[in-house]
Amino acid sequence: MFDRRNRMTAKTLVALAATMALALPGVASAGNDNMDVIVDGRAGTETRSIAVSVADLNLASTAGLRRADYRVTRAAKQVCGFVNGSIIPVTQDYRNCFGEALTGARSDLNAMAQRQG
């Protein structure tokens, strides 16, 4: 019984740490060694996050950075509610969410590029 409770506590702590990392914009990706950029979008009271892998890209090259930015832009659209090619109608809330998500993710992406290059 004691071992089972310890496993439950460990699982709960891991889940809590992952949730906190995703809930705090910029924090999860700042020291991230696995080459993921966390894209956070807040629309209304809801916050969504997506981890975008750039491990396969050379961020020191223009082409690699351009490809990474494309992935981050798509993820920013997704976390802010862009579905099936359009938002109907495009709201100010969506624009704000998209702008903030993109700015934060690009900042983290640029920091990764500087470390790589």
Side-chain angles (χ1 to χ4, degrees):
M1 186 76 157
F2 180 74
D3 289 333
R4 184 174 183 203
R5 259 187 287 193
N6 283 343
R7 280 196 304 255
M8 291 293 278
T9 302
K11 287 180 184 179
T12 303
L13 289 174
V14 169
L16 180 61
T19 301
M20 289 176 60
L22 291 175
L24 299 172
V27 173
S29 55
N32 203 340
D33 289 334
N34 67 359
M35 298 298 289
D36 285 349
V37 176
I38 306 300
V39 181
D40 296 312
R42 169 173 259 139
T45 59
E46 187 176 352
T47 300
R48 297 180 188 156
S49 298
I50 294 177
V52 177
S53 178
V54 294
D56 61 321
L57 302 174
N58 176 4
L59 299 179
S61 74
T62 303
L65 199 52
R66 190 175 323 127
R67 182 73 179 152
D69 187 68
Y70 173 76
R71 291 177 187 177
V72 164
T73 301
R74 286 188 51 185
K77 289 177 180 180
Q78 188 175 357
V79 297
C80 293
F82 189 86
V83 180
N84 296 329
S86 68
I87 287 260
I88 302 175
V90 174
T91 63
Q92 189 60 43
D93 191 37
Y94 170 80
R95 287 184 185 112
N96 292 339
C97 176
F98 178 72
E100 290 173 14
L102 199 54
T103 298
R106 281 181 173 164
S107 174
D108 294 339
L109 182 60
N110 288 333
M112 287 177 143
Q114 287 178 350
R115 283 195 306 267
Q116 214 179 58

